Amino acid sequence: MIKVVIAEDQTLLRDALATLLGLERDIEVVGLAGNGREAHDVVRRKDPDLVLTDIEMPDMTGLELADLLRREESRTRVLIVTTFDRPGYLRRAMEAGVSGFILKDGPSADLAGAIRRVMAGERVVAPELAARAWDEADPLSDAERRLLRLAEAGLDSAAMAEASGLARGTVRNYLHSAISKLGTANRIEAARRARQKGWL
Amino acid sequence: MIKVVIAEDQTLLRDALATLLGLERDIEVVGLAGNGREAHDVVRRKDPDLVLTDIEMPDMTGLELADLLRREESRTRVLIVTTFDRPGYLRRAMEAGVSGFILKDGPSADLAGAIRRVMAGERVVAPELAARAWDEADPLSDAERRLLRLAEAGLDSAAMAEASGLARGTVRNYLHSAISKLGTANRIEAARRARQKGWL
DNA sequence: TGCCGCAGGTGACAGCTGTCATGCGTGAAG
DNA sequence: CTTCACGCATGACAGCTGTCACCTGCGGCA
């Protein structure tokens, strides 16, 4: 019997997945969580064989959860299921030591199979992603990333300077650098592209 | 037996919902679709009692689908299920004559109940939304909306002018007007706020 | 010790953005 | 017919953005 915890912020999908997996003879859903932190608690309490987790969740992302479990040397394997086929996510997931990475766009029939393959020691990656994974490395520095996130929210340079403790000029230098690395015309496009690549 | 078609772009959720509803004694899932246009075709072919649809889908949104079915005087009722609790969506859905509007954050147990209540002639609205629905009217003009969408994509005023066939100055006037209506500091914040309210 | 690379900063400048006053048609209301 | 509102446009101006050359201090490292 494979003991599974499901972490997913959309209640409807979470419950539906639980029902779906519950129908499998060899899988038992032992816990549910609506965000990463909750998932971490549940994993500690229930000690499941595998945690099936979304990436984008409030409080703590699935990638952070995976990283945390790896650092704690938890025996629970991590299987990421996400909407977002952003190349950067897969890379970060691999670095966080996850056992599998599949997409919400894939057929649901594959899900139980993916879980079984992970438990058999295989590393499962959605085939449409495997090829694209190492396409492009994230060229951004931490400072650039942080500022792009602020730019996305509509802050101007002065506000970003205050928010990040840098000088205005430095903020503009970092943004310039990000803009030219990403080959865009302005900070907004740069932020969009970075987010779309999963670098943000 | 209530005949249902499910329109949802995430395969995993679509399949999971189909499985979930298939377990109900009085509900039969007669068709699946991954976008609005496909859903429209399937509804015409299968003539279901109800179509359960997401809003944000490629090709045609759930709101457009609802509108189309209403104009065609289809007997199929529409139940919207969406992640996005943006006030503007509910209003537009009501104007499109939908029979129900519930959230993916709601418990899955309510889903079959909502379907039955819709088929009993009730109009079902997620309780957390009902109150907020008429909070704020969309203050934007069509021109403002269109330009905010372009601003979101990172175009500058000159590019928007070209894209929309307006003069640069006029573009800036519209953006100014949108910015002041929304009480933000710049076009980026304005676009964010409008999107978050469901006005975009 | 001296040199290098690197994060962070300054100042200048052209071009873009946000704001505002103002003008010009056109179509609906009086 | 006049008046008025409305969509669209123009021009001016302060302030912000993107670009660039160049400076400073600090931690390696030979």
Side-chain angles (χ1 to χ4, degrees), chain A residues 156-157 172-173 176 179 186-187:
Chain A
D156 63 17
S157 301
R172 291 182 18 235
N173 284 339
H176 173 49
I179 288 166
N186 56 49
R187 55 183 72 185

Side-chain angles (χ1 to χ4, degrees), chain B residues 6 16 19 23 25 28 36 41 45 51 57 62 77 93 97 102 113 115 131 134 147 153 164 167-168 175 191 195:
Chain B
I6 299 176
T19 306
L23 296 175
R25 287 276 166 261
E28 182 187 2
D41 288 351
R45 277 207 312 279
V51 56
M57 293 184 294
R77 305 190 193 191
I102 59 182
I115 290 176
W134 309 93
L147 292 177
S164 61
R168 275 155 223 245
L175 288 173
R195 178 155 302 280

Side-chain angles (χ1 to χ4, degrees), chain A residues 83-199:
Chain A
T83 322
F84 304 100
D85 62 344
R86 293 168 184 158
Y89 276 0
L90 176 54
R91 168 185 312 235
R92 280 199 267 158
M94 287 306 160
E95 282 164 8
V98 309
S99 299
F101 193 105
I102 58 181
L103 295 180
K104 288 185 184 170
D105 276 330
S108 71
D110 290 359
L111 186 59
I115 290 177
R116 289 189 196 102
R117 281 161 58 207
V118 164
M119 290 320 296
E122 246 182 280
R123 177 164 285 211
V124 178
V125 174
E128 56 271 49
L129 284 185
R132 290 218 313 280
W134 310 95
D135 269 8
E136 288 174 275
D138 179 352
L140 299 173
S141 72
D142 285 347
E144 289 158 2
R145 234 190 311 283
R146 194 152 31 91
L147 292 177
L148 284 181
R149 271 193 276 254
L150 296 176
E152 225 181 0
L155 302 209
D156 63 17
S157 301
M160 290 191 226
E162 188 155 5
S164 62
L166 296 174
R168 275 156 224 242
T170 306
V171 166
R172 291 182 18 235
N173 284 339
Y174 279 130
L175 288 174
H176 173 49
S177 156
I179 288 166
S180 66
K181 280 177 181 173
L182 299 175
T184 60
N186 56 49
R187 55 183 72 185
I188 304 308
E189 264 188 281
R192 276 177 73 84
R193 172 154 306 166
R195 177 154 301 281
Q196 175 218 320
K197 293 277 190 184
W199 295 334

Side-chain angles (χ1 to χ4, degrees), chain B residues 2-135:
Chain B
I2 304 173
K3 291 198 296 176
V4 175
V5 163
I6 299 176
E8 158 65 50
D9 60 333
Q10 280 181 27
T11 315
L12 191 59
L13 180 56
R14 180 168 73 236
D15 290 359
L17 288 176
T19 306
L20 207 62
L21 291 178
L23 296 175
E24 302 290 327
R25 287 276 166 261
D26 55 343
I27 294 176
E28 182 187 2
V29 178
V30 298
L32 298 175
N35 63 58
R37 188 154 311 283
E38 208 179 307
H40 183 233
D41 288 351
V42 175
V43 166
R44 293 182 79 140
R45 277 207 312 279
K46 305 282 186 165
D47 187 39
D49 301 302
L50 181 142
V51 56
L52 181 69
T53 179
D54 191 10
I55 290 185
E56 301 199 351
M57 293 184 294
D59 221 2
M60 185 191 244
T61 71
L63 294 175
E64 288 163 346
L65 172 65
D67 203 50
L68 188 56
L69 290 175
R70 182 175 50 84
R71 280 207 304 273
E72 289 176 351
E73 303 183 9
S74 165
R75 70 172 204 90
T76 301
R77 305 190 193 191
V78 177
L79 175 56
I80 302 271
V81 194
T82 184
T83 322
F84 304 99
D85 62 344
R86 294 169 183 158
Y89 276 0
L90 176 53
R91 166 184 315 234
R92 279 199 269 158
M94 287 306 159
E95 283 164 8
V98 309
S99 299
F101 192 106
I102 59 182
L103 294 180
K104 288 185 184 169
D105 276 330
S108 70
D110 291 1
L111 187 58
I115 290 176
R116 289 188 196 101
R117 280 160 60 207
V118 164
M119 290 319 296
E122 246 183 281
R123 179 163 282 211
V124 178
V125 173
E128 57 270 48
L129 285 185
R132 288 219 312 282
W134 309 93
D135 268 9

